[in-house]
Amino acid sequence: MAGELPFEAPLGKLREKIEELQRFGREKEIDFSEEIARLEERYAQLENEIYSSITPSQKMHLARHHQRPTSLDLISLIFEDFVELHGDRVFGDDLAVVGGLAKLDGVPVTVLGQQRGKDTKDNIARFFGSAHPEGFRKALRLMQQADKFKRPIITFIDTKGAYPGITAEERGQSEAIARNLREMAILRVPIICVVIGEGGSGGALALGVGNRVLMLENAIYSVISPNGAASILWKDASKADQAAEAMKITAQDLLEMEVIEDIVPEPHGGAHRDYEATAAEIKKSLLSHLNDLLIMNPDELLEDRYRKFRKIGKFAEARKEEIPAPEEKQIIDSSLVGKE
């Protein structure tokens, strides 16, 4: 299979056997239809087994797949009459962020997204989807324009993080991200954010303050990339798979913790297998949530967005009788000395 990942190897080998048997049957004019049917049945069974038990580290590799649909791919399939707008009116035009005007099922909206490249040359031009400050300022300019003209805002999140180089720091990277967080919190129009690939660090959050945050089924969303976490915890970025298992970065984990509101299903094998089906599912989810938000007035939208983020990070306090006495705590602490 094109773009096959390591955990998909058994499927690839079985598909090769099926195609080889089909080819041999045509060449020798032998009927292998029964054998092929049995192999196809086994293929479907194996496919269901593999994709129904994908681990967080495997989801990380699916989210980073080089053939996964980008923001521009999905914009072209979901929206009508898209007109891209450029520049932050301060420094320049950052190609890592795209945005403009469009219609979603006839409703005028402003749509924004982080854009990875399709090949090496395009990736270099777009900094692999990692925006400079001018990219975040372009996004903010378009969001403020949307607020002025009462257009809902839809953002697509797909980045490992903001660009970490000295050029970005010189132009105010942290200030640009912080300003986006503040301004998105007070915009008086509906905002829906969709994590379509990898949502990493402040680069993702700069487009992620919305009334609703949705995630594709195999996308990931985290405060730091698994590679970065592995570099800090184990001084070894190659342990990213191990970090991914521990970080609660999958859509299922984040829905349970109420960080996101909805999971958008993907085709078997990931979004890169069928762009049209993926776009159709995103559009259906967007329309459902947008219809709920459009009936709210600006004050209700602000309150809704405030409550959405205030409920994240809930914790329960231990009852007084559950807290050990000071002398008991000392005994417990001393009993752990020398134990791993």
Side-chain angles (χ1 to χ4, degrees):
M1 297 186 294
E4 179 182 285
L5 293 169
F7 70 90
E8 298 173 308
L11 285 174
K13 291 177 181 177
L14 190 52
R15 175 54 60 189
E16 287 176 7
K17 288 181 181 179
I18 294 170
E19 292 173 353
E20 184 181 351
L21 198 57
Q22 289 171 332
R23 186 168 54 251
F24 185 76
R26 286 193 301 268
E27 291 173 356
K28 303 298 181 181
E29 297 184 353
I30 303 174
D31 184 13
F32 289 118
S33 56
E34 289 186 11
E35 291 83 353
I36 291 171
R38 282 198 297 269
L39 289 174
E40 289 284 7
E41 186 179 347
R42 172 58 184 151
Y43 183 91
Q45 181 184 356
L46 182 61
E47 184 181 50
N48 188 59
E49 289 173 4
I50 289 175
Y51 295 129
S52 62
S53 57
I54 299 177
T55 65
S57 62
Q58 290 168 343
K59 284 181 180 288
M60 177 184 72
H61 293 294
L62 281 172
R64 293 174 172 178
H65 199 286
H66 67 281
Q67 294 177 343
R68 195 169 176 84
T70 65
S71 293
L72 285 176
D73 290 328
L74 294 173
I75 287 171
S76 67
L77 292 169
I78 295 171
F79 301 91
E80 310 95 44
D81 304 328
F82 175 63
V83 178
E84 186 174 355
L85 302 178
H86 297 272
D88 68 339
R89 303 298 186 267
V90 177
F91 181 85
D93 186 34
D94 186 349
L95 299 181
V97 175
V98 297
L101 313 178
K103 289 182 180 177
L104 177 62
D105 215 23
V107 178
V109 298
T110 289
V111 58
L112 299 155
Q114 286 146 337
Q115 178 66 23
R116 295 175 289 106
K118 285 291 191 179
D119 52 37
T120 302
K121 183 179 179 181
D122 197 21
N123 262 319
I124 291 172
R126 297 185 185 278
F127 299 98
F128 294 83
S130 295
H132 282 69
E134 53 268 26
F136 298 124
R137 289 172 181 141
K138 173 169 68 173
L140 180 58
R141 178 176 75 84
L142 297 183
M143 288 189 284
Q144 289 174 332
Q145 181 194 77
D147 190 52
K148 178 179 180 180
F149 292 102
K150 306 295 185 288
R151 288 193 301 266
I153 298 166
I154 295 166
T155 72
F156 291 131
I157 296 169
D158 187 16
T159 182
K160 286 183 170 64
Y163 186 74
I166 190 171
T167 53
E169 295 300 326
E170 288 172 342
R171 299 201 285 270
Q173 185 72 289
S174 57
E175 186 276 340
I177 293 173
R179 184 180 293 270
N180 274 33
L181 300 180
R182 186 188 69 183
E183 296 300 321
M184 287 186 78
I186 59 175
L187 294 176
R188 298 173 66 81
V189 293
I191 304 175
I192 302 177
C193 310
V194 189
V195 184
I196 61 172
E198 182 173 11
S201 193
L205 289 176
L207 294 185
V209 183
N211 296 87
R212 302 289 182 271
V213 179
L214 321 178
M215 281 182 72
L216 280 177
E217 182 181 356
N218 295 316
I220 61 173
Y221 195 24
S222 59
V223 70
I224 187 173
S225 72
N227 305 72
S231 297
I232 293 170
L233 293 175
W234 298 292
K235 312 300 181 186
D236 185 358
S238 67
K239 293 186 177 180
D241 285 0
Q242 187 176 341
E245 298 287 343
M247 289 172 61
K248 303 292 185 184
I249 61 176
T250 69
Q252 293 73 18
D253 290 327
L254 296 168
L255 181 65
E256 184 179 341
M257 294 187 288
E258 298 187 67
V259 174
I260 66 171
E261 280 67 48
D262 201 3
I263 298 174
V264 181
E266 295 185 28
H268 259 329
H272 61 284
R273 300 287 180 206
D274 192 335
Y275 284 23
E276 287 77 13
T278 301
E281 290 290 347
I282 293 175
K283 184 174 183 177
K284 183 170 71 173
S285 187
L286 284 174
L287 287 170
S288 174
H289 288 283
L290 186 59
N291 287 335
D292 292 340
L293 295 172
L294 285 174
I295 62 176
M296 298 183 187
N297 63 44
D299 290 335
E300 290 171 334
L301 287 169
L302 287 176
E303 180 66 17
D304 176 79
R305 202 175 307 141
Y306 172 80
R307 292 189 179 279
K308 182 256 185 299
F309 286 93
R310 284 293 293 173
K311 72 182 180 183
I312 296 174
K314 291 187 294 188
F315 63 93
E317 292 185 1
R319 294 191 299 273
K320 189 174 181 180
E321 58 270 22
E322 294 176 344
I323 302 173
E327 61 275 9
E328 183 182 350
K329 183 176 184 298
Q330 188 175 358
I331 294 170
I332 293 171
D333 291 343
S334 62
S335 69
L336 295 175
V337 174
K339 293 186 179 181
E340 294 183 358

